[in-house]
Amino acid sequence: MYELYDRDGKFICYRMTKRIKNDLGEYDVLTARSKKSEKECRKIMDDKIRDYYIQKEEQKHKGVFPDMLFKDFAENWYELNVKNADCSQVNKDNYKNYVYTHIIPYFANYKLCEIHEDDCQRFLNRYVGKSKAMVSKLRMTLRRIMRKAKKQKLIPDNPAEDIILPKVTQGQRRPITDEERAMILETAEAHYAGAMVLTMLYCGLRPIEVRNLKWADIDFTNDLLTVTKSKTAAGTGRKLPIPPQLKTSLIEHKLKGQNDEYVFVRYKNHKLPLDENAFYHAWHNFRREMDIANGATVYRNQITESTLAPDLEPYLLRHTFCTDCQAAGVPLNVAKEFMGHSDISVTAKIYTHMVDEVFEQNRKRLAEYANQKGQKAINE
């Protein structure tokens, strides 16, 4: 604050300046004048500072469509940026699942410009205890959607940029226990999805592989199953032996005549093959029946106290197939082909999970070898 005078020394006004650093790192200068008093000059400056920040905030929101729903923008993002992108169909299906099954349902009633960081964090916090891979991909997808909205100047900032992962699990795979195997085999005898579950158990198929399995892929004469559609190039085209237990189940399933092309179809519409939702509906129904048969507590048709392990999911059947290969003495390089792995190190990681049966087999082999070497040394 200072006073201005003319050349003759006559008082002109009180004058005050304020330098404010803007978003570009430069300084904007505000000036206030008053002929009456310093107090009025300060008031004028306060008003100018307030108007300055209001104007800057309005500039940030310039171009925002206040009535645009997040749902509409997210659907448009998927159609333009993912649906026809140069990436695998598996990635496209994953994005579609993240967007339409998880993200859009949560933000369905939100306007795009009204979503804040706390909203995004609350969405992610719903997946506490889920696998780290899944939650990370959900966060990545939401960030990408919001980044596009910011780039198009529809929102001033990306509210999902700094959200953090909640407490998640590392998603360690394990083989099923002998008790779980017994329950699965018993339930499979009468359940409509029994043949599907046994195919995953005895052939180690991925969910997407079992969903796309056709009768033309099964050779009952030579007991071979061919995977014609997989998530990876290494998995596509591989051939797997069909054990007698599975062959019997598949023949019985075929005699039902549900669909002449696809092996496994939707429960309520046999004309359509399984999609991801139908697959998991069948699995959860199978799991429910197994749980009830094992003594789960049910109240008003809802399981209130489960008897099954929380991590009993379809991929455990594939992991079990790999450990069964190990227990049966299948060489690592052959198991790699059976599993459809592109890198043998992936198979090796599962083979290093030493099961008791394998340990005992190799313990006996070492003992026999040591005995033979000992006897040979004595005889010599």
Side-chain angles (χ1 to χ4, degrees):
M1 175 77 71
Y2 56 91
E3 300 174 359
L4 286 179
Y5 295 87
D6 61 17
R7 292 180 180 179
D8 299 328
K10 184 178 179 181
F11 174 78
I12 300 176
C13 66
Y14 295 100
R15 190 173 188 271
M16 185 176 184
T17 60
K18 175 74 173 178
R19 298 171 72 241
I20 301 177
K21 192 173 184 179
N22 59 33
D23 294 337
L24 300 176
E26 301 172 349
Y27 286 92
D28 295 322
V29 181
L30 304 182
T31 303
R33 294 183 176 87
S34 174
K35 292 183 178 181
K36 293 184 178 180
S37 64
E38 292 184 12
K39 183 177 179 180
E40 184 181 60
C41 187
R42 292 184 185 279
K43 183 179 182 306
I44 293 173
M45 177 55 74
D46 291 340
D47 292 340
K48 287 200 171 191
I49 292 173
R50 184 197 64 229
D51 293 342
Y52 171 85
Y53 283 112
I54 291 175
Q55 182 182 13
K56 288 296 181 182
E57 192 65 24
E58 289 176 349
Q59 288 176 354
K60 283 184 179 180
H61 289 81
K62 187 177 181 181
V64 170
F65 293 83
D67 294 326
M68 176 178 283
L69 293 175
F70 172 86
K71 172 180 178 294
D72 297 332
F73 182 81
E75 288 178 345
N76 186 64
W77 175 85
Y78 173 81
E79 292 292 325
L80 292 177
N81 298 278
V82 179
K83 191 173 183 179
N84 298 309
D86 184 17
C87 62
S88 69
Q89 186 59 45
V90 173
N91 282 336
K92 293 178 183 180
D93 291 342
N94 286 338
Y95 271 117
K96 186 175 183 179
N97 177 49
Y98 303 147
V99 173
Y100 288 94
T101 305
H102 299 276
I103 298 176
I104 285 181
Y106 183 84
F107 293 103
N109 298 321
Y110 281 80
K111 292 181 179 179
L112 182 63
C113 64
E114 292 178 348
I115 297 177
H116 301 292
E117 182 176 316
D118 286 351
D119 300 316
C120 297
Q121 190 65 60
R122 289 189 191 97
F123 161 73
L124 214 59
N125 288 349
R126 296 169 71 243
Y127 297 92
V128 169
K130 300 296 182 181
S131 74
K132 183 177 181 180
M134 173 191 175
V135 183
S136 297
K137 289 171 183 176
L138 283 172
R139 180 175 65 170
M140 175 193 68
T141 304
L142 182 58
R143 280 177 173 173
R144 290 192 63 184
I145 293 172
M146 291 302 191
R147 281 173 188 164
K148 180 64 72 171
K150 180 183 177 183
K151 187 175 181 180
Q152 295 179 358
K153 301 188 185 304
L154 299 177
I155 54 176
D157 296 297
N158 182 353
E161 194 65 47
D162 296 322
I163 58 176
I164 61 174
L165 291 180
K167 186 176 181 180
V168 293
T169 59
Q170 292 295 330
Q172 295 292 334
R173 303 295 183 189
R174 64 170 178 85
I176 59 174
T177 64
D178 290 342
E179 182 182 4
E180 289 169 337
R181 189 190 294 261
M183 288 190 289
I184 288 173
L185 295 179
E186 183 177 350
T187 305
E189 291 180 2
H191 196 276
Y192 73 88
M196 180 190 80
V197 174
L198 292 182
T199 302
M200 290 188 288
L201 176 62
Y202 287 124
C203 292
L205 297 192
R206 300 177 174 95
I208 191 173
E209 295 169 349
V210 81
R211 282 162 39 198
N212 289 285
L213 189 64
K214 297 181 179 181
W215 288 116
D217 303 330
I218 299 177
D219 181 355
F220 286 113
T221 303
N222 298 302
D223 296 340
L224 287 177
L225 182 153
T226 303
V227 179
T228 56
K229 186 173 182 180
S230 180
K231 66 182 291 187
T232 64
T236 304
R238 74 185 192 275
K239 294 184 181 298
L240 293 156
I242 301 176
Q245 304 92 322
L246 176 59
K247 182 177 180 179
T248 301
S249 180
L250 287 174
I251 290 175
E252 292 177 354
H253 183 67
K254 187 175 184 180
L255 291 175
K256 296 176 183 178
Q258 294 180 339
N259 191 294
D260 293 333
E261 182 180 8
Y262 286 92
V263 179
F264 305 114
V265 293
R266 302 184 191 186
Y267 179 66
K268 294 184 178 180
N269 189 345
H270 295 166
K271 295 181 180 180
L272 297 176
L274 293 172
D275 59 6
E276 187 172 28
N277 288 335
F279 168 81
Y280 279 103
H281 181 273
W283 165 258
H284 289 307
N285 188 274
F286 182 93
R287 194 181 188 279
R288 169 187 167 82
E289 292 301 314
M290 184 167 59
D291 201 358
I292 293 174
N294 195 47
T297 304
V298 181
Y299 178 72
R300 292 186 177 179
N301 205 34
Q302 298 294 319
I303 294 178
T304 56
E305 187 175 344
S306 175
T307 63
L308 304 181
D311 66 340
L312 183 57
E313 294 296 335
Y315 245 89
L316 265 60
L317 302 179
R318 175 170 164 80
H319 193 101
T320 301
F321 171 75
C322 193
T323 56
D324 283 353
C325 286
Q326 181 189 24
V330 176
L332 181 60
N333 61 318
V334 177
K336 167 186 171 293
E337 299 300 323
F338 282 173
M339 293 294 289
H341 289 153
S342 58
D343 192 329
I344 199 169
S345 65
V346 179
T347 319
K349 286 180 181 178
I350 302 177
Y351 261 46
T352 57
H353 294 176
M354 185 70 72
V355 294
D356 292 340
E357 185 177 352
V358 176
F359 179 86
E360 185 62 22
Q361 287 176 356
N362 286 281
R363 184 191 67 78
K364 290 180 179 179
R365 287 172 184 167
L366 285 171
E368 290 173 1
Y369 180 78
N371 182 58
Q372 291 173 2
K373 294 292 287 185
Q375 289 296 329
K376 184 177 179 181
I378 292 173
N379 294 333
E380 291 179 350

